[in-house]
Amino acid sequence: MAPLGYFFLLCALEQALGSYPIWWSLAIGPQYSSLATQPILCASIPGLVPKQLRFCRNYVEIMPSVAEGVKISIQECQHQFRGRRWNCTTVNGSLAIFGPVLDKATRESAFVHAIASAGVAFAVTRSCAEGAAAICGCSNRHQGSPGEGWKWGGCSEDIEFGGMVSREFADARENRPDARSAMNRHNNEAGRQAIAGQARLKCKCHGLSGSCEVKTCWRAQPDFRAVGDALKDKYDSASEMAVERHREARGWVETLRPRHARFKAPTERDLVYFDASPDFCEPDARTGSFGTRGRACNASSAGIDGCDLLCCGRGHDARTERRRDKCRCVFHWCCYVSCQECPRLYDVHTCK
Ligand SMILES: *[C@@H]1O[C@H](CO)[C@@H](O)[C@H](O)[C@H]1NC(C)=O
Ligand SMILES: *[C@@H]1O[C@H](CO)[C@@H](O)[C@H](O)[C@H]1NC(C)=O
Ligand SMILES: *[C@@H]1O[C@H](CO)[C@@H](O)[C@H](O)[C@H]1NC(C)=O
């Protein structure tokens, strides 16, 4: 009996600490977000595995951008899911900042891992190009020869460097032989691919009064909004997987294969999951659902943000709210705009 109890205790510990990327709480610790105000104490960052701790100590100047990356990914997640039943709420006062909703291997977990890993890659790359750290900067891998009428110039963002940091840091704990780790690894990479796949050239004209006699171009990351949009599409089309166990020399290893043979296998850009999502209609501490009671819904939408679907068929309340909007704006030479405030009535619908 004792070994079995011990086994369950270990599982519970693993459940509580091991599988949750607690380092994401970097995003809400104000003490980590600015290197300028305070030195970062790596040992005081909760939830770092040894590899991450080593990374933090060796590259402490990168850590503010890692924290920034998690922060922008939470903002983007909340933007992408703003009208949905699960709206990417973070919980205060817990190191598991998304709550238990990420315990299951759902589409939501897939999205959060992908966007967080993309956020870290993005923010690190950006801050390197801005000259924030000594060990990185602009990319000198100017891929390919210049095209007709332009030459390489300016600072090409080093997307490979940001991707490498994200691979080191965000994937550091995903080396377990279980299915969830395989899923997280896959989705983390899909997040980074969403950046690399949308990198583009930005150009600037030089010459008399913008004549574009000389044009210089550099490689730039997409806006992070475009990364969020792409990953949201991947969420909608995520691939459901089945878990397979194999006996290998190092022991049991779980791998994923597509659950439905008639669908094409996911590429490395696709998101994968293997647990069904809860419907998020009612509050449930176990699944991390907050329910949708009191949520604002859109009475004229037939989509998921519409009152029917968002309120799960419970119906909704309607009221009018008076708000003050900017209006009658006047442009003054030169250069500012002054506005008045006008009261306006809004119809507000909230879920019962
Ligand atoms: C939640 O966290 C924010 C930012 O860290 C803080 O300003 C706020 O007071 C917290 N709210 C509660 C209810 O703890
Ligand atoms: C997200 O959902 C939570 C819980 O239902 C709610 O408190 C919060 O206001 C929602 N956020 C937005 C932006 O709708
Ligand atoms: C509500 O839904 C309609 C129809 O989809 C859309 O045109 C409108 O912009 C939505 N309103 C808000 C506030 O999102």
Side-chain angles (χ1 to χ4, degrees), residues 12-22 47 95 173:
L13 275 176
E14 170 75 5
Q15 200 68 20
L17 298 167
S19 60
Y20 206 102
I22 288 168
L95 288 173
R173 51 188 313 120

Side-chain angles (χ1 to χ4, degrees), residues 82 85 87 89 290-293 295:
R82 66 204 177 280
R85 288 180 188 166
N87 66 3
T89 312
F290 294 98
T292 62
R293 220 156 262 135
R295 287 280 304 276

